Amino acid sequence: MKNRIEKRLARVLENSEILDKRAYLTIDGEGCVERKKMNLTIPAMVFCIDEVLFDETLEKESDKREREKEKKIERLSNLTVEKLKENFTKLVVKGEVEFAKRYGKELALREVEEFNKTLFNLSLMDNISFKKPLMALAMKEILETIGWNDKIGYLVISYFAKQRYDLSSLEAAKELDNKDFDVPETLEFIAYKKVLNRYEYKNEKKYASMLSKWKNDVEELSISPVENEMLKTIKF
């Protein structure tokens, strides 16, 4: 995996300005809501073994119409780690990308494991269909391989913040003591359970309850070739 990430990194960075979206959630004057799907380039860079599928994903997901000018992410040196975690969480959920990226970078540079746990926790709070656990798993592998990179970090945090949170399942969740149950073998479910089992979380009983409900409600899902390839990797 290390060689795969290092080999593909330069190409992803070359296209980084056109791998983001200005908005992942839009609404028109009639109240019609549209959510755009996650850009799969970063997870594919990490988890897709097949080079052709990765090339196709990078090409497909690069969109010049969505070009976002990148800026250097400044440091925040006068805050405690606990304050960084607290503010990072709040800003991501509120959708405040420009501030969230600064808190995220500082936390990752100061205490990378706390950054990973915070990002994992943020991914568990949201609707499973947004695949945020998959992005969080990819980011952890990238940090362990190359360390922090402003362009990659921005793309990850941007997705977490711009794909506005659906907290309805979390708000309605009861607590479930057991999280050791089987889930459907789809990318969303396997990634979510892998993240859930990685750390201890204050709300993990609620996350387990959310996952249990989702697995009972799931319908037959279509899966793309690149998603199928990534699934093979993260299952182990």
Side-chain angles (χ1 to χ4, degrees), residues 68 71 73 95-103 154 162:
E68 288 281 291
K71 302 174 186 176
I73 305 178
E96 300 284 352
V97 182
E98 292 306 309
F99 290 107
K101 68 183 184 182
R102 296 182 66 191
Y103 284 90
Y154 174 79
K162 289 181 180 179

Side-chain angles (χ1 to χ4, degrees), residues 186 217-223:
T186 68
D217 293 344
V218 70
E219 298 177 0
E220 190 70 25
L221 299 173
S222 61
I223 184 167

Side-chain angles (χ1 to χ4, degrees), residues 56-71:
E56 291 175 352
T57 301
L58 178 59
E59 182 178 357
K60 176 185 175 184
E61 300 281 18
S62 299
D63 189 345
K64 294 180 180 179
R65 297 169 299 177
E66 299 276 7
R67 185 180 297 275
E68 288 281 291
K69 186 67 177 176
E70 295 168 341
K71 302 174 186 176

Side-chain angles (χ1 to χ4, degrees), residues 8-16 19 41 45 54 58 152:
R8 296 169 175 173
L9 177 64
R11 294 177 55 210
V12 172
L13 296 181
E14 286 171 4
N15 290 276
S16 59
L19 291 175
T41 299
M45 178 178 75
F54 169 72
L58 178 59
I152 299 294

Side-chain angles (χ1 to χ4, degrees), residues 176-182 193 196-201 204 208 211:
L176 182 67
D177 289 328
N178 176 34
K179 60 179 181 179
D180 185 24
F181 50 80
D182 293 333
K193 188 167 185 184
L196 179 59
N197 289 335
R198 179 62 179 81
Y199 298 104
E200 292 182 358
Y201 307 94
E204 68 177 42
L211 183 60

Side-chain angles (χ1 to χ4, degrees), residues 68-79:
E68 288 281 291
K69 186 67 177 176
E70 295 168 341
K71 302 174 186 176
K72 181 181 178 182
I73 305 178
E74 301 295 335
R75 295 285 303 268
L76 292 166
S77 57
N78 60 341
L79 295 170

